[in-house]
Amino acid sequence: MAELLTDKTAVVTGAASGNGRQISLAFACHGADVVVADIQPEPREGGTPTHEKIASETDTTADATYVECDVTNTDDLEEAVEAAEEFGGVEVMVNNAGIFRDEDFLDVTEDEYDQLMDINAKGVFFGAQAAAKRMVERDRGGSIINISSVAGLEGSGEYPTYCTSKGAVRLLTYSLASALGPNNIRVNGIHPGIIETTMTSEDVPIVGAELGEQFLETVPLRRNGQPEDVADAAVLLASDLASYVTAISFVVDGGMTNTQ
Ligand code: NAP
């Protein structure tokens, strides 16, 4: 397999588990060094911590380190980006950390709203800012990838705060693509559909539940997404193959959104 990210350095938030873990592993398989940034290193789904798996199991020379990083804390985000200096400095930033819950709009409390928005929207804003500062200083360009959702393209009565946060990420992505384009920093969004992670099996049980079966009937490809599907999109956007691609919403949903 051709390596698409040789000699690049990436920071991935929420990289202990799920999509962030698979993005990190795929980046390493393509030759990138990875800073695995998360509140704790153990994968929610079990298994070897991401940074250890990269060091022990990938065939490439890619290296990885773990940094404790709560994306609601701007100092933590700065430290995660700083950790990339060990590998030559951040060139790819993936703002992936996020939480999901279903809710009744009339019952949502201010604390619940703040928690979700702090992680899903503010964390992306300041993660992008921390990385962009370094990228501008170094003047080598870069790629920032923000993980939104199909919930950032359409509203849902069952997930109003989540949709608010993911819609914010979509417009943040376009805004930063405009602001940072002259520095050759590309900023793109990935909008996954239903991906099989602990988020969709435990936090909001969709996969394997009746609701999930109903969703599947609306997916032209008739399967749920896997973290590998999201990771492949991230590899492409991080790589030089996408050197003229910025300000896009890359929808990875088996065709669900555009065929409703
Ligand atoms: P996941 O399996 O729950 O993984 C999320 C990771 O983020 C976990 O390791 C979690 O740590 C970490 N995290 C939570 N709060 C954090 C914080 N404040 N700072 C840093 N890390 C934090 O979820 P996922 O399915 O991979 O989701 C990853 C991203 O994809 C999210 O932005 C999500 O909204 C998006 N997405 C997912 C789907 C889907 O169907 N799965 C669909 C669309 C979009 P802990 O283990 O300690 O909680």
Side-chain angles (χ1 to χ4, degrees):
M1 182 178 67
E3 288 183 17
L4 295 176
L5 304 176
T6 309
D7 295 334
K8 290 195 189 291
T9 300
V11 177
V12 182
T13 68
S17 312
N19 293 331
R21 172 175 170 82
Q22 195 55 46
I23 290 168
S24 303
L25 295 171
F27 278 8
C29 283
H30 279 281
D33 295 322
V34 184
V35 175
V36 173
D38 205 311
I39 37 183
Q40 54 82 38
E42 299 301 325
R44 298 189 67 195
E45 56 270 41
T48 312
T50 307
H51 63 293
E52 290 175 12
K53 195 170 164 75
I54 288 173
S56 63
E57 290 179 32
T58 45
D59 290 338
T60 65
T61 54
D63 208 347
T65 190
Y66 166 75
V67 172
E68 188 176 323
C69 170
D70 179 342
V71 296
T72 66
N73 181 320
T74 55
D75 289 342
D76 282 9
L77 286 165
E78 298 277 353
E79 276 169 32
V81 169
E82 178 63 30
E85 292 300 304
E86 179 190 344
F87 303 126
V90 62
E91 291 164 284
V92 180
M93 178 78 192
V94 184
N95 293 299
N96 163 79
I99 59 170
F100 180 38
R101 60 170 172 251
D102 51 6
E103 56 194 13
D104 183 334
F105 171 63
L106 297 180
D107 294 332
V108 176
T109 66
E110 188 176 354
D111 283 349
E112 288 168 343
Y113 176 92
D114 285 346
Q115 185 210 21
L116 195 144
M117 291 298 286
D118 276 358
I119 297 171
N120 288 15
K122 181 181 144 188
V124 174
F125 188 105
F126 286 104
Q129 188 191 64
K133 280 182 190 169
R134 286 304 174 104
M135 290 172 180
V136 170
E137 263 168 35
R138 251 177 227 273
D139 199 20
R140 289 194 313 219
S143 171
I144 297 174
I145 300 168
N146 297 327
I147 307 299
S148 178
S149 166
V150 291
L153 302 169
E154 297 182 323
S156 159
E158 280 141 19
Y159 322 112
T161 315
Y162 187 72
C163 289
T164 304
S165 71
K166 294 298 187 179
V169 169
R170 179 166 60 89
L171 291 190
L172 172 65
T173 298
Y174 302 161
S175 304
L176 299 189
S178 174
L180 299 170
N183 298 96
N184 196 28
I185 299 170
R186 300 179 295 104
V187 189
N188 293 294
I190 295 179
H191 295 252
I194 297 163
I195 310 297
E196 291 188 5
T197 68
T198 316
M199 180 177 274
T200 50
S201 63
E202 286 181 14
D203 303 343
V204 179
I206 297 174
V207 172
E210 196 183 327
L211 179 63
E213 294 305 313
Q214 289 165 11
F215 271 129
L216 260 188
E217 285 171 24
T218 70
V219 177
L221 294 181
R222 293 289 188 275
R223 69 170 176 89
N224 293 319
Q226 299 299 321
E228 287 80 356
D229 296 313
V230 178
D232 286 346
V235 168
L236 176 62
L237 292 176
S239 78
D240 294 341
L241 290 180
S243 62
Y244 198 51
V245 177
T246 194
I248 68 158
S249 295
F250 193 152
V251 182
V252 182
D253 71 345
M256 179 171 68
T257 307
N258 287 340
T259 55
Q260 297 304 297

